[in-house]
Amino acid sequence: MGRGDIELETNKVYDHDDVADIEVPSTAHQISSDSWFQVGFILTTGINSAYVLGYSGTVMVPLGWTGGVVGLVLATIISLYANALIAHLHEYGGQRHIRYRDLAGFVYGKKVYSLTWALQYINLFMINTGYIILAGSALKATYVLFRDDGLLKLPYCIAIAGLVCAMFAICIPHLSALGIWLGFSTIFSLIYIIISFLLSLKDGLQSPPRDYNLPGDGFSKVFTIIGASANLVFAFNTGMLPEIQATIRQPVVKNMMNALYFQFTVGVLPLYLVTFTGYWAYGSSTSVYLLNSVNGPVWVKALANITAFLQSVIALHIFASPMYEFLDTKYGIKGSALNVKNMSFRIVVRGGYLAFNTFVSAFLPFLGDFMSLTGAISTFPLTFILANHMYLKAKKDKLTSSQKLWHWLNIGFFSIMSIAATIAAIRLISVDSKTYHVFADL
């Protein structure tokens, strides 16, 4: 049992050197089976999902060249650091922590276990809401290319996207089962990133000088800038690193660090490329969905939108997997994925979960606002505040005074940022709700 008195059913496993046994909580999903390279691709899939088509408009437009470039580079560095802290605690105390809430519960106790689970659930729910909005936006953008008659509205496209996501979730039982779909996801990402980059580059070379002034004035500008700071950390963090690390082979810390180095070096380059080029090409008028700004052959834009739609479906499954694992484990869903009981369970439970996700997506389809709110109320606490404090508590006897001060400064700074960004994000959603309406056709 962990020091936080969280009772978990565990199994004994051995690392490759048979030096020490590590307790692993029971789970209905597969663990310790993936190479660091596959896990690196999962992480890279997350940061280069169709969300990258929004960062030109949701990060660069509010922050401008200086704030946007410096902010993205700093967010990359601090995100790698924070994720490395979590990765190094994966086997803390002789127990493998395959869920974020398990790690928090082991370090702090039952109350923080429940709080962490709630924060993570909110985080992943809102990320998935964004993916469904993205997928719906991509479908609508594809339709408008061929028939701009206003019949297929965004809420209808979001409903179709939710249905496809549910079908995919029913067919893929767990995270490790993605297998070849990660390859498809990479291909889809490359297609829409390359098309977005080339069409933005073409438009930028052919366009007159752009306006790069920050939009808004007074308090409005301040709130927008603070909200964009939450988008910065949202771009690079999953809020489910222990769950992803659970799939990696031993040695889990070394392999996870390799995966993180891959994510934050090679993996971030496509994100930088499309984000900076998009803003350079269209300036402060850049759309929150970049493919709505680009000009080019219809079939090329259609291909980019279709691949963005398909990649969003795959990426959503990654971020929904902790919820699926929790439900499958709780209700003893094991064995063949094609078993009638297991299949029926996934249809009802996963289908119901995604149906509610889809309803929220259609009800408030404001992508940039959801990114800001997600970063503010869950990414900041989970990835930066909690990671630094857990590491401080776990390693307190091994840290120098200056190292302890460093972690406390991080905790204080990101706590202030979380509160400020939450206020800004709620204000943005309130303003957009009044400007448009629920179930808006954006």
Side-chain angles (χ1 to χ4, degrees):
M1 186 184 299
R3 64 180 62 186
D5 294 325
I6 299 297
E7 295 186 9
L8 296 168
E9 184 182 349
T10 59
N11 299 310
K12 294 274 188 176
V13 297
Y14 291 85
D15 64 19
H16 285 312
D17 297 321
D18 288 335
V19 174
D21 53 6
I22 300 293
E23 290 186 350
V24 181
S26 294
T27 174
H29 287 197
Q30 191 170 324
I31 63 170
S32 304
S33 60
D34 300 339
S35 67
W36 73 261
F37 192 63
Q38 179 170 334
V39 172
F41 260 99
I42 289 176
L43 293 169
T44 300
T45 293
I47 64 170
N48 287 297
S49 67
Y51 272 118
V52 300
L53 300 173
Y55 298 142
S56 296
T58 60
V59 171
M60 297 301 295
V61 170
L63 297 179
W65 276 119
T66 302
V69 173
V70 173
L72 278 170
V73 172
L74 285 177
T76 303
I77 295 170
I78 63 174
S79 296
L80 171 59
Y81 174 74
N83 280 280
L85 295 180
I86 299 170
H88 278 90
L89 295 176
H90 193 73
E91 292 181 326
Y92 169 60
Q95 181 168 308
R96 190 164 181 187
H97 307 287
I98 65 172
R99 307 175 187 95
Y100 210 132
R101 61 189 184 276
D102 292 350
L103 175 58
F106 188 86
V107 174
Y108 300 110
K110 190 171 183 179
K111 289 184 179 179
V112 178
Y113 171 94
S114 300
L115 176 62
T116 303
W117 181 214
L119 277 174
Q120 190 182 36
Y121 174 83
I122 293 169
N123 177 64
L124 299 176
F125 181 85
M126 291 197 298
I127 289 175
N128 292 334
T129 297
Y131 274 123
I132 296 173
I133 294 173
L134 272 170
S137 299
L139 272 185
K140 184 187 175 184
T142 304
Y143 179 81
V144 169
L145 288 172
F146 298 97
R147 291 188 62 181
D148 192 8
D149 53 17
L151 292 178
L152 190 61
K153 301 183 183 299
L154 181 58
Y156 306 154
C157 294
I158 287 175
I160 296 170
L163 176 62
V164 175
C165 289
M167 292 171 62
F168 189 79
I170 291 165
C171 294
I172 307 296
H174 50 74
L175 194 57
S176 292
L178 278 171
I180 194 172
W181 289 104
L182 291 174
F184 283 123
S185 176
T186 302
I187 294 170
F188 294 150
S189 296
L190 286 174
I191 290 173
Y192 62 70
I193 286 173
I194 290 171
I195 290 175
S196 299
F197 166 69
L198 292 177
L199 293 183
S200 297
L201 182 64
K202 175 184 71 67
D203 288 347
L205 292 172
Q206 295 175 353
S207 299
R210 274 76 68 192
D211 176 16
Y212 295 110
N213 291 322
L214 303 187
D217 51 42
F219 280 112
S220 175
K221 182 183 288 188
V222 172
F223 278 114
T224 304
I225 290 172
I226 294 173
S229 69
N231 293 342
L232 287 171
V233 296
F234 172 87
F236 299 105
N237 297 284
T238 62
M240 51 174 283
L241 193 78
E243 286 83 355
I244 294 175
Q245 192 171 1
T247 69
I248 209 166
R249 297 171 190 155
Q250 290 281 2
V252 292
V253 174
K254 178 182 177 181
N255 283 336
M256 194 66 206
M257 289 307 302
N258 287 337
L260 287 172
Y261 291 141
F262 180 84
Q263 175 194 5
F264 286 102
T265 53
V266 177
V268 299
L269 296 180
L271 183 152
Y272 285 166
L273 183 69
V274 73
T275 300
F276 296 148
T277 306
Y279 182 61
W280 167 78
Y282 310 107
S284 58
S285 64
T286 308
S287 170
V288 295
Y289 180 62
L290 184 58
L291 291 176
N292 286 337
S293 295
V294 302
N295 298 290
V298 170
W299 72 269
V300 174
K301 293 177 66 176
L303 178 61
N305 280 300
I306 291 169
T307 52
F309 168 78
L310 294 172
Q311 202 277 342
S312 295
V313 173
I314 298 172
L316 182 147
H317 191 75
I318 294 173
F319 287 94
S321 62
M323 175 56 67
Y324 300 158
E325 188 274 336
F326 166 72
L327 293 168
D328 290 352
T329 301
K330 181 177 177 64
Y331 293 101
I333 304 301
K334 297 182 178 181
S336 172
L338 298 177
N339 178 284
V340 174
K341 175 190 172 185
N342 295 348
M343 181 69 77
S344 301
F345 180 86
R346 292 200 301 276
I347 290 172
V348 174
V349 175
R350 297 187 183 186
Y353 171 74
L354 288 172
F356 181 63
N357 233 159
T358 302
F359 172 80
V360 174
S361 303
F363 189 73
L364 295 170
F366 311 123
L367 180 63
D369 299 352
F370 265 103
M371 289 165 60
S372 297
L373 188 61
T374 305
I377 69 173
S378 53
T379 306
F380 272 130
L382 282 173
T383 305
F384 298 101
I385 301 171
L386 195 58
N388 274 279
H389 196 271
M390 282 196 300
Y391 194 83
L392 182 65
K393 188 173 177 63
K395 305 288 186 179
K396 59 184 177 182
D397 295 333
K398 299 180 181 180
L399 299 177
T400 64
S401 297
S402 59
Q403 288 174 322
K404 290 178 182 178
L405 177 62
W406 164 251
H407 287 292
W408 277 116
L409 288 173
N410 275 284
I411 293 164
F413 173 75
F414 288 115
S415 296
I416 294 170
M417 287 298 299
S418 179
I419 294 169
T422 299
I423 295 170
I426 291 173
R427 179 185 177 276
L428 288 171
I429 290 176
S430 175
V431 169
D432 280 343
S433 297
K434 293 176 182 177
T435 303
Y436 302 100
H437 53 80
V438 296
F439 298 107
D441 182 30
L442 302 179

